[in-house]
């Protein structure tokens, strides 16, 4: 106990403040977002309710009641169906509606009936199990009370992501200011706050990936002891047990092990022990997952990882598809399949600026334009800093390789999933801004790189202006969402 | 450096706040009390009401804060409509002249307590017909029904109950907070505290954290730092 207190006392005040900022930000988003209006929140809450009440996940394809009776009562009494995608609609906040939900919540058996179908049922159970504990912690709270507490768990995960981002940045930079910049970016980015204020596993993916990156960099720097490799593997396993979108963390883990081996060749015994630990954990995790899903139909992640006919895959077309996501189409290129959905929509509007609730709460386009200009300037400046300081980058090649390949792998996976979905006839590009949450801390490294490279006074000014800008953006976004649902 | 960081941060917040947040919070916006039939988004239709006909919307929820009814109604020529609201224990009568472009906003006297199922009727008393926009029946989740002279129409006329037809976002914040608190376990005062924390509290926390981080402290205990050479 004393060791825990000592460890807590060593937490830097700046980090403690940023974690508090993240939690308060998530709390505001919790209040600002109407019940069940987060991305796919209706289905995620139904999954948690079913798991908490019966110990079983819902079915993806069968069943007659997708939601528990209390959740169905909330949807109908609060007019939540009418709210979806209609910016003029408001929930019913009359006292009578609330009382009707509470009456339904207290009816026996009202919570356990959401057997399915539930499209999120193919997701692994880790995030939902965590939320199920919150569900049980508020037995007398009624449906809205339980939803509020479950959303607070997401807020805690955002605070954890901030702590991991701080630690990760500590492995990349040697000074506190760029470290603060990365963690503040994660704490204040509106999309992170909004996901910390609803029930959605994307915030858990962000926390797990950021923890993985921190542990990976630490393992590489200090050497791959069995304990360090085990922790890194556990972080990867946690990400895999949260969502199928974490699959690219497997090659990232292999990259980490190879880099750790090359960077610490003088300690072969440590490396062997570390690799054996990772292998044993992976084997154990795979067996446990196989046992848990033995009775279920479909492939891995409830068949969600199967994106259709792989025969239709064409490397040249895929290359053109990715090119046109980021850059204008060149002559000779076929038009990109699917809707117009590129860097501007995903990175700028949906992620850095943010679209909220069920992707229906937008900021003014002039604000997205400002964010786009700022993002491009910061990326160009960060690139220039890296080129000018190439010797430092070479000296610290393990950091560059791990961060670079993990980022590239995650993005490639998202593009691949999107491409395969579109060429197999889907109208949905399966790529939303929130899918970039695993890389939220990595994206925060860009402004921090500029801060780290500038002279001290200029760096202080740059960090202060950057943090102020993200803070004002977060206030604007939360205010817009609050007004959309409750003004 | 600490002072430079804090001052720059505060100046930047004030400047960016004046640039972006001030216009946002001073923008005029209606304060909604309820949306018995929501506005059409992708699928819409209209209800035409001629001289002597009466269009009614049933199942309307009113509260002691209901001050205006807003229909997406218009008339191409000058016209006159009479409004009647009836429910158990509450009656209201009024009149209005529909504009050439929607919406038609009619002030009402608020009931003393919440009413779950009021019927709101508009009677046309002029040769110019009244056109009300709405959502085709079956494309809306609304419990409200629209009828003309007692016959159900193919379209549910859009109706919004307002507390205020237009005030600044800042001045409508108390109503916004009250509505948000109604759907969360936080009482109104605690929601206010949360908002103050999210603005002033976070501002102070960021200024403090930034000031401390600007002290050029190392990120790790020096014993763990393997790399050599200064960062800059």
């Amino acid at each position: 106990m004393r060791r825990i207190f000592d460890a807590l006392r060593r937490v830097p005040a700046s980090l403690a403040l940023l974690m508090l900022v993240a939690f308060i930000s998530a709390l505001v988003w919790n209040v600002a977002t109407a019940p069940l209006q987060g991305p796919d929140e209706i289905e995620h809450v139904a999954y948690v309710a079913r798991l908490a009440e019966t110990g079983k996940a819902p079915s993806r394809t069968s069943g007659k009641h997708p939601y528990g009776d209390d959740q169905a009562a909330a949807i109908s009494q609060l007019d939540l169906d009418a709210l979806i995608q209609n910016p003029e609609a408001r929930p019913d906040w009359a006292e009578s509606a609330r009382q009707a939900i509470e009456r339904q919540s207290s009816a026996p058996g009202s919570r356990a009936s959401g057997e399915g179908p539930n499209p999120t049922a193919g997701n692994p159970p880790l995030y939902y199990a965590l939320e199920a504990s919150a569900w049980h912690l508020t037995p007398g709270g009624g449906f809205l009370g339980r939803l509020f507490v479950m959303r607070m768990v997401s807020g805690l995960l955002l605070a954890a992501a901030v702590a991991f981002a701080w630690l990760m940045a500590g492995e990349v930079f040697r000074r506190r200011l760029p470290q603060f910049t990365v963690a503040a970016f994660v704490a204040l980015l509106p999309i992170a706050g909004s996901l910390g204020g609803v029930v959605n596993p994307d915030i858990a993916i962000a926390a797990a990936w950021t923890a993985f990156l921190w542990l990976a960099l630490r393992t590489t720097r200090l050497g791959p002891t069995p304990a360090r490799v085990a922790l890194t593997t556990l972080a990867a396993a946690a990400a895999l047990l949260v969502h199928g979108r974490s699959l690219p963390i497997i090659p990232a883990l292999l990259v980490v092990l190879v880099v750790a081996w090359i960077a610490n060749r003088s300690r072969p015994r440590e490396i062997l022990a570390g690799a054996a630990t990772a292998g044993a954990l992976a084997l154990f995790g795979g067996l446990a997952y196989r046992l848990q899903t033995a009775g279920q139909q479909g492939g891995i992640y409830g068949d969600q990882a199967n994106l259709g006919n792989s025969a239709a895959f064409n490397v040249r077309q895929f290359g053109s598809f990715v090119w046109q996501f980021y850059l204008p189409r060149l002559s000779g290129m076929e038009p990109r399949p699917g809707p117009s959905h590129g860097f501007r929509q995903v990175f700028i509007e949906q992620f850095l600026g943010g679209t909220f609730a069920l992707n229906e709460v937008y900021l003014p386009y002039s604000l997205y334009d400002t964010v786009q200009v700022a993002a491009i300037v910061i990326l160009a400046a960060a690139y220039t800093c890296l080129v000018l300081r190439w010797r430092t980058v070479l000296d610290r090649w393990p950091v560059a390789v791990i961060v670079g390949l993990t980022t590239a792998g995650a993005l490639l996976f998202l593009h691949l999933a999107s491409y395969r979905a579109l060429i197999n006839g889907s109208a949905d590009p399966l790529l939303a801004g929130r899918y970039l949450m695993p890389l939220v801390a990595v994206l925060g490294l860009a402004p921090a790189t500029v801060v780290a490279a500038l002279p001290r006074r200029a760096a202080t000014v740059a960090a202060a202006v950057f943090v102020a800008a993200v803070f004002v953006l977060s206030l604007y976004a939360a205010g817009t969402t609050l007004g959309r649902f409750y003004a | 450096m600490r002072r430079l960081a804090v001052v720059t941060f505060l100046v930047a917040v004030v400047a960016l706040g004046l640039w972006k947040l001030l216009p946002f919070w001073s923008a005029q916006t209606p304060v909604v009390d309820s949306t018995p039939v929501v506005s059409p988004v992708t699928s819409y239709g209209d209800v035409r009401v001629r001289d002597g006909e009466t269009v009614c919307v049933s199942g309307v929820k009113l509260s002691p804060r209901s001050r205006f009814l807003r229909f997406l109604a218009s008339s191409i020529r000058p016209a006159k409509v009479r409004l009647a609201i009836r429910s158990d224990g509450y009656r209201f009568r009024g009149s209005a002249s529909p504009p050439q472009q929607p919406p038609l906003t009619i002030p009402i006297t608020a009931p003393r307590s919440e009413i779950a199922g009021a019927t709101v009727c508009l009677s046309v008393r002029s040769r110019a017909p009244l056109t009300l926009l709405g959502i085709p029946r079956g494309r809306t989740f609304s419990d409200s029904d629209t009828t003309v002279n007692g016959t159900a129409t193919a379209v549910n006329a859009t109706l919004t109950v307002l507390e205020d037809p237009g005030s600044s976002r800042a001045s409508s914040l108390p109503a916004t907070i009250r509505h948000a608190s109604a759907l969360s376990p936080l009482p109104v005062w605690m929601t206010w505290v949360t908002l103050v924390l999210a603005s002033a509290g976070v501002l102070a926390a960021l200024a403090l954290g930034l000031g401390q981080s600007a002290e050029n402290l190392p990120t790790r205990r020096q014993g763990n730092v393997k790399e050599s050479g200064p960062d800059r």
Side-chain angles (χ1 to χ4, degrees), chain A residues 307 321 336 341 413-423 428-431:
Chain A
L307 301 170
F321 176 85
R336 194 172 182 273
H341 197 67
F413 178 80
L414 289 177
H415 286 307
L416 195 61
S418 174
Y419 169 73
R420 287 186 60 185
L422 289 172
I423 59 167
D428 183 354
L430 281 185
L431 179 52

Side-chain angles (χ1 to χ4, degrees), chain B residues 124-158:
Chain B
V124 178
R125 292 287 178 265
S126 57
R127 289 172 64 188
L130 179 73
T131 305
L132 296 104
L133 283 177
I135 301 184
R137 204 175 280 272
R139 302 294 298 261
T140 170
F141 295 98
S142 173
D143 294 331
S144 298
D145 263 335
T146 304
T147 56
V148 173
N149 285 355
T151 307
T153 55
V155 167
N156 263 347
T158 293

Side-chain angles (χ1 to χ4, degrees), chain B residues 34-227:
Chain B
S34 66
T35 49
V37 184
V38 296
S39 303
V41 177
T42 54
S43 177
Y44 66 93
D46 59 36
V47 179
R48 286 180 184 239
V49 193
R50 292 181 177 77
D51 186 18
E53 290 184 330
T54 300
V55 59
C56 291
V57 180
S58 63
V60 175
K61 224 173 227 184
L62 297 173
S63 80
R65 297 178 193 274
S66 306
R67 295 278 187 277
F68 297 86
L69 297 184
R70 175 170 280 181
F71 296 90
L72 292 182
S74 60
S75 175
I76 50 168
R77 279 177 288 177
K80 190 130 188 159
V81 293
R82 284 190 188 157
L83 169 73
I85 310 173
R86 54 179 191 275
S87 160
D88 289 344
Y90 173 72
R91 291 276 187 282
F92 177 80
R93 283 183 184 281
S95 63
S97 298
Q100 287 191 321
Q101 295 290 328
L104 165 64
T105 306
I106 310 173
I108 62 168
T109 305
R112 286 189 187 156
S113 60
E114 192 182 307
I115 293 170
T119 301
V120 174
C121 294
L122 290 176
S123 302
V124 178
R125 292 287 178 265
S126 57
R127 289 172 64 188
L130 179 73
T131 305
L132 296 104
L133 283 177
I135 301 184
R137 204 175 280 272
R139 302 294 298 261
T140 170
F141 295 98
S142 173
D143 294 331
S144 298
D145 263 335
T146 304
T147 56
V148 173
N149 285 355
T151 307
T153 55
V155 167
N156 263 347
T158 293
L159 171 59
T160 309
V161 183
L162 301 173
E163 293 184 18
D164 191 334
S167 63
S168 71
R169 280 199 180 94
S171 60
S172 66
L173 196 57
T176 307
I177 298 297
R178 183 163 31 79
H179 299 156
S181 301
L183 298 190
S184 93
L186 297 184
V188 173
W189 69 267
M190 213 183 269
T191 308
W192 274 109
V193 169
T194 305
L195 284 198
V196 170
L197 275 177
S199 44
V202 167
L203 181 80
L206 289 173
L208 269 174
L210 199 58
Q212 203 160 63
S213 299
E215 290 295 325
N216 206 28
L217 297 170
T219 56
R220 298 184 291 268
R221 279 175 295 159
Q222 289 302 319
N224 283 345
V225 179
K226 203 173 147 191
E227 300 86 2

Side-chain angles (χ1 to χ4, degrees), chain A residues 13-14 28 86 89-90 92-93 96 98 170-171 173-176 179-180 221 389 452 454 456-457 460 486, chain B residues 1 32-33 35 38-39 61 114 179 182 184 198 209 212-213 216-220 224 226-227 229 231:
Chain A
S14 300
V28 165
N86 191 331
R90 298 289 183 273
D92 189 345
W93 44 65
S96 54
R98 193 181 160 132
E171 296 294 330
F173 303 105
R174 294 185 196 137
R175 295 291 150 193
R176 194 49 70 73
Q179 186 179 28
F180 183 86
R221 177 172 60 88
R389 295 156 58 89
L454 288 171
R456 220 176 135 202
R457 286 182 75 84
T460 305
Y486 295 118
Chain B
M1 283 304 149
V32 176
D33 187 45
T35 49
V38 296
S39 303
K61 224 173 227 184
E114 192 182 307
H179 299 156
S184 93
Q212 203 160 63
S213 299
N216 206 28
L217 297 170
T219 56
R220 298 184 291 268
N224 283 345
K226 203 173 147 191
E227 300 86 2
D231 206 29

